[in-house]
Amino acid sequence: MKSSWPRAVYRRVKRLLGREPDGFLRSVSGVIHVGANDGEERVAYDKFGLRVLWVEPIPTVFEQLESNLAPFPKQRAVQALVTDRDDRAYEFHISNNEGKSSSILDLKEHRDIWPGVQYTKTLSLQGVTLPSLLQRHEIDPAAYDALIMDTQGSELLVLQGAEALLPQFQFIKAEVADFEAYAGCCQLADLDAFMTGHGFKTYSKTPFARRAEGGAYYDVTYRRNA
């Protein structure tokens, strides 16, 4: 069936959805991945020959991450909770799916897609902005031209705390929903507005989980305007 969208809009949507979600990795040399979990993407990053800095806040998951990264000399990890403020205490909720849905925010409509996910405990963690994290660990930010976030609703806080660094990134990717998956979370429209206001445009957008009541989770990548 033919689309009823205006032709220009249809072409743009088809182009965005047709791009490989991680195709941009061919165009970068280094990645900062905030919300690492156990480093699931480490092999893919290695295939692209990338330098990678992983950031993971959960102590037990971080131990597994470091072990997983041992065979990859160009990849390193630091344990930290990246937010918009330095040294502020946060209640960080640990989820029962190996920590993959852990967040500083309460679960909300996330349950509509993954009803079995729940929090099992809470840790008190200190937040840190990305610029401060790099400075404290004597990491040169110029070595990384892509930022990837999987922080379960706090993506906007990460970006707000990293505004001084944004001009150096050519690509920024996030996992984000267009509904309130977590209470008060960053949603796709919020992220779009922030990125547009900081000189980025959408490069690709791929839905990967849909909500029966409407809405979806997306992998969305933004590219700095030329």
Side-chain angles (χ1 to χ4, degrees):
M1 184 173 65
K2 288 187 176 181
S3 169
S4 60
W5 293 344
R7 183 168 297 181
V9 174
Y10 175 75
R11 283 200 301 264
R12 173 171 167 75
V13 171
K14 185 177 180 180
R15 183 172 68 251
L16 292 178
L17 294 179
R19 285 177 174 153
E20 294 178 66
D22 293 326
F24 72 96
L25 293 175
R26 298 186 182 93
S27 304
V28 302
S29 58
V31 171
I32 297 176
H33 190 127
V34 180
N37 199 258
D38 62 0
E40 179 180 350
E41 301 87 348
R42 61 192 180 276
V43 174
Y45 291 159
D46 182 65
K47 288 181 179 178
F48 285 103
L50 299 175
R51 180 187 301 106
V52 185
L53 174 66
W54 298 88
V55 186
E56 169 58 41
I58 305 173
T60 54
V61 176
F62 180 77
E63 290 178 7
Q64 182 62 54
L65 172 64
E66 284 201 305
S67 176
N68 290 346
L69 296 181
F72 304 98
K74 295 180 69 173
Q75 303 186 34
R76 63 174 293 190
V78 294
Q79 185 181 331
L81 174 64
V82 179
T83 61
D84 62 333
R85 300 185 189 182
D86 290 325
D87 305 318
R88 175 180 173 179
Y90 289 87
E91 296 297 294
F92 190 84
H93 310 295
I94 311 299
S95 64
N96 63 342
N97 57 345
E98 300 179 327
K100 290 180 171 61
S101 298
S102 302
S103 177
I104 61 173
L105 305 173
D106 291 332
L107 289 167
K108 196 170 182 183
E109 293 164 359
H110 185 281
R111 298 188 182 95
D112 294 343
I113 300 179
W114 298 285
V117 173
Q118 58 184 308
Y119 293 148
T120 58
K121 63 180 179 178
T122 298
L123 303 177
S124 181
L125 300 178
Q126 296 290 114
V128 63
T129 63
L130 188 56
S132 294
L133 176 67
L134 299 181
Q135 184 178 35
R136 293 175 187 180
H137 289 269
E138 299 182 340
I139 297 169
D140 181 6
Y144 304 93
D145 48 359
L147 172 65
I148 295 177
M149 299 175 292
D150 187 1
T151 61
Q152 307 305 313
S154 64
E155 293 79 14
L156 205 54
L157 297 182
V158 174
L159 292 169
Q160 289 168 342
E163 282 192 77
L165 292 179
L166 298 185
Q168 79 171 49
F169 295 120
Q170 295 304 309
F171 293 90
I172 295 179
K173 178 184 174 183
E175 178 182 295
V176 64
D178 61 2
F179 59 93
E180 197 176 8
Y182 294 81
C185 68
C186 170
Q187 297 185 42
L188 180 61
D190 305 318
L191 194 57
D192 280 346
F194 182 92
M195 298 305 295
T196 299
H198 287 78
F200 288 80
K201 61 182 178 182
T202 303
Y203 172 79
S204 69
K205 184 170 65 175
T206 306
F208 65 87
R210 295 194 180 277
R211 180 170 170 258
E213 296 81 356
Y217 258 95
Y218 296 86
D219 280 325
V220 58
T221 302
Y222 301 90
R223 183 174 190 170
R224 171 163 293 287
N225 292 326

